[in-house]
Amino acid sequence: MLFLLHVQLSSFICIIARRDLWDSLYSLHVAGPWLALGDFNFVMGAHETTGVLKRQSCEDFRTGVTICNLIDLDSQGPFYTWRGFRRGKNVMPRLEGAFCNAEYLEQWQQ
């Protein structure tokens, strides 16, 4: 059985609610393969944006991925998934992604 989670976070959701997402996912204790994908509205670090980096948001996102034992899956197509204009500059971050656990990778590599 596969556990699939589709995420779409709005930029208007406060940081506390975003942390609650990861706490909730961790508390599910999903056994077996699982995949989380969608618009996380976060970047993992400076390598995923051409704009201003919000350090705490990056740390929260990386911590969430780590405590859930998820692996960032490589994607195909354009690296940056959003484009906008902020503070007089063109900004391109990678806000969407897919993450899975080791069991998911094992299942699909068979």
Side-chain angles (χ1 to χ4, degrees):
M1 184 163 118
L2 169 66
F3 179 77
L4 174 65
L5 171 71
H6 178 261
V7 177
Q8 185 169 0
L9 292 176
S10 167
S11 60
F12 299 108
I13 295 176
C14 69
I15 296 298
I16 301 300
R18 290 177 179 175
R19 288 181 185 148
D20 288 345
L21 167 71
W22 292 110
D23 291 341
S24 296
L25 290 175
Y26 180 73
S27 68
L28 288 175
H29 301 292
V30 176
W34 70 290
L35 173 69
L37 56 95
D39 183 353
F40 290 90
N41 207 21
F42 285 109
V43 295
M44 295 284 280
H47 66 286
E48 291 188 344
T49 186
T50 62
V52 175
L53 190 65
K54 296 180 181 175
R55 184 179 306 256
Q56 187 63 51
S57 294
C58 291
E59 290 174 9
D60 292 343
F61 190 31
R62 283 193 306 267
T63 299
V65 169
T66 301
I67 65 169
C68 291
N69 295 315
L70 296 177
I71 301 162
D72 187 3
L73 295 174
D74 290 330
S75 61
Q76 294 187 359
F79 181 75
Y80 300 113
T81 60
W82 186 83
R83 177 178 287 186
F85 200 70
R86 298 286 185 265
R87 296 182 185 162
K89 295 183 180 180
N90 190 21
V91 177
M92 296 183 299
R94 179 181 180 233
L95 299 178
E96 299 173 354
F99 301 86
C100 70
N101 64 357
E103 290 86 356
Y104 181 88
L105 283 180
E106 291 170 10
Q107 180 176 352
W108 287 100
Q109 290 175 347
Q110 293 179 1

